[in-house]
């Protein structure tokens, strides 16, 4: 019969092993899946929360690009190039905790992310951005910026704009699996369900996820009410709605456009899910360039 002392020792060892396995699993879950490099010159400045990274491409009127939830500015590579080719200066901001941008306060709100936009414009010597483009989560930051700094943005562009209500439970679960799940077929299927019209997931969207940034952004969203920023200030607004968006339903952006009236222009883009950019990059660029084509304002 095993002695009580030996039983306790073995129990302690077993508990330690389980704890180490749990910590190892947590480390994997919270590990970044780095994106491909973002297009343009990488610039590092001191922002309100520490180091702040953005990527500059082209010359001309400044167009700020804000990526989706837990995603990198690299998602905008094709759009940034299209803007540069058309004579604009794209400024794609890496959100806090992503690719060298420091986390600011843990007591964070969307206003802190919006303050990063102001810091980038200051660094570029730009009093007023020609446009601020926000994709999905980034559209929230864009609208908060336009509310807090109305004099610093001429036009807003919202891609896959949500924010009024959470996604359906199955889509929420798929988004969590995309960000925190282990690599494999189940995670790929979750990404396809939540973000794409088709079943094929581009390699750039298998990677390019930042779990700690996701937690930080979630906290920022809950820190202030939707009604305080949903209207996006007073700037004219272009809304590009993916037809097959399961995370931000077309009815939501239709309701927003109706509420804003003549301020808003809305287009539905066929054969595109919430990710939008990798599926319909050319259509997105075409709509945005048409909307921004006012050379006298550059």
């Amino acid at each position: 019969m095993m002695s009580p002392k030996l039983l306790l020792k073995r129990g302690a060892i077993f508990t330690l092993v389980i704890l180490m396995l749990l910590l190892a699993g947590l480390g994997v879950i919270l590990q970044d899946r780095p994106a491909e490099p973002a297009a343009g010159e990488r610039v590092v400045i001191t922002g309100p929360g520490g180091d702040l990274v953005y990527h500059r491409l082209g010359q001309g009127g400044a167009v700020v690009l804000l990526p989706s939830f837990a995603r990198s500015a690299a998602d905008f590579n094709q759009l940034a190039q299209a803007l540069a080719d058309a004579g604009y200066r794209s400024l794609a901001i890496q959100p806090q905790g992503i690719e060298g941008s420091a986390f600011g306060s843990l007591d964070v709100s969307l206003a802190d992310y919006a303050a990063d936009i102001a810091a980038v414009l200051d660094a570029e010597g730009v009093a007023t951005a020609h446009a601020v483009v926000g994709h999905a989560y980034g559209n929230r930051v864009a609208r908060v910026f336009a509310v807090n700094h109305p004099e610093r943005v001429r036009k807003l562009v919202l891609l896959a704009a949500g924010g009024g209500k959470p996604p359906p439970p199955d889509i929420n679960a798929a988004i969590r699996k995309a960000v925190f799940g282990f690599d494999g077929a189940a995670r790929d299927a979750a990404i396809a369900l939540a973000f794409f019209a088709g079943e094929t997931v581009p390699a750039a969207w298998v990677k390019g996820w930042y779990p700690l940034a996701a937690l930080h952004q979630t906290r920022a969203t809950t820190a202030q009410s939707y009604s305080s920023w949903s209207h996006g200030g007073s700037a004219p607004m272009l809304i590009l709605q993916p037809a097959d968006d399961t995370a931000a339903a077309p009815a939501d952006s239709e309701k927003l456009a109706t509420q804003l009236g003549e301020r808003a222009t809305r287009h539905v883009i066929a054969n595109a899910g919430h990710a939008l950019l990798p599926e319909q990059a050319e259509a997105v660029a075409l709509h945005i360039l048409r909307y921004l084509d006012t050379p006298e304002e550059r």
Side-chain angles (χ1 to χ4, degrees):
M1 185 174 179
M2 194 176 296
S3 69
K5 180 181 283 189
L6 185 56
L7 280 172
L8 286 172
K9 184 176 182 181
R10 286 192 174 183
I13 292 173
F14 177 77
T15 301
L16 181 60
V17 169
I18 294 299
L19 182 59
M20 291 175 67
L21 289 173
L22 289 173
L23 290 174
L26 183 61
V28 172
I29 289 171
L30 296 179
Q31 187 174 26
D32 290 343
R33 296 177 170 97
E36 62 185 351
E41 178 187 0
R42 184 177 188 270
V43 182
V44 183
I45 63 172
T46 300
D51 283 351
L52 179 60
V53 176
Y54 66 96
H55 293 260
R56 179 200 302 125
L57 188 64
Q59 300 178 350
V63 179
V64 176
L65 305 176
L66 306 171
S68 179
F69 180 69
R71 298 287 300 177
S72 158
D75 286 350
F76 286 114
N77 281 357
Q78 288 176 276
L79 178 57
Q81 188 61 61
L83 288 165
D85 291 344
Y88 292 96
R89 176 185 8 163
S90 69
L91 304 172
I93 299 178
Q94 295 288 15
Q96 295 181 25
I98 294 178
E99 295 297 322
S101 286
F103 285 114
S105 170
L106 293 178
D107 186 21
V108 65
S109 73
L110 290 170
D112 294 297
Y113 283 87
D116 289 342
I117 302 174
V120 168
L121 293 178
D122 289 345
E124 290 287 315
V126 174
T128 304
H130 190 75
V132 176
V133 180
H135 176 211
Y137 186 89
N139 102 84
R140 303 174 184 218
V141 181
R143 284 191 268 177
V144 171
F145 179 75
V147 169
N148 292 353
H149 305 276
E151 76 288 354
R152 304 206 70 174
V153 56
R154 290 193 180 99
K155 295 181 178 180
L156 285 174
V157 179
L158 312 185
L159 311 180
K165 58 184 178 182
D170 61 328
I171 302 303
N172 241 339
I175 293 172
R176 288 196 298 271
K177 185 168 287 188
V179 179
F180 301 106
F182 295 103
D183 288 336
R187 179 172 174 268
D188 290 352
I191 296 172
L193 174 65
F195 296 100
F196 290 93
E199 296 181 357
T200 302
V201 178
W205 273 71
V206 174
K207 57 185 181 179
W209 297 94
Y210 299 81
L212 289 175
L215 298 175
H216 200 254
Q217 290 175 5
T218 299
R219 168 59 184 143
T221 300
T222 59
Q224 56 199 106
S225 68
Y226 176 71
S227 61
S228 69
W229 54 264
S230 61
H231 52 88
S234 57
M237 182 186 296
L238 171 66
I239 302 170
L240 296 183
Q241 172 65 52
D244 303 295
D245 196 337
T246 58
D252 294 344
S253 67
E254 184 176 13
K255 180 180 178 181
L256 175 63
T258 300
Q259 291 173 340
L260 297 179
E262 294 183 356
R263 270 184 61 206
T265 301
R266 179 178 178 270
H267 295 289
V268 176
I269 298 183
N271 302 314
H274 195 58
L276 182 58
L277 291 162
E279 287 185 304
Q280 297 296 339
E282 290 185 7
V284 170
L286 181 63
H287 280 295
I288 290 176
L289 289 173
R290 284 177 176 170
Y291 189 69
L292 300 185
D293 191 17
T294 52
E296 71 278 2
E297 293 183 355
R298 295 189 189 182

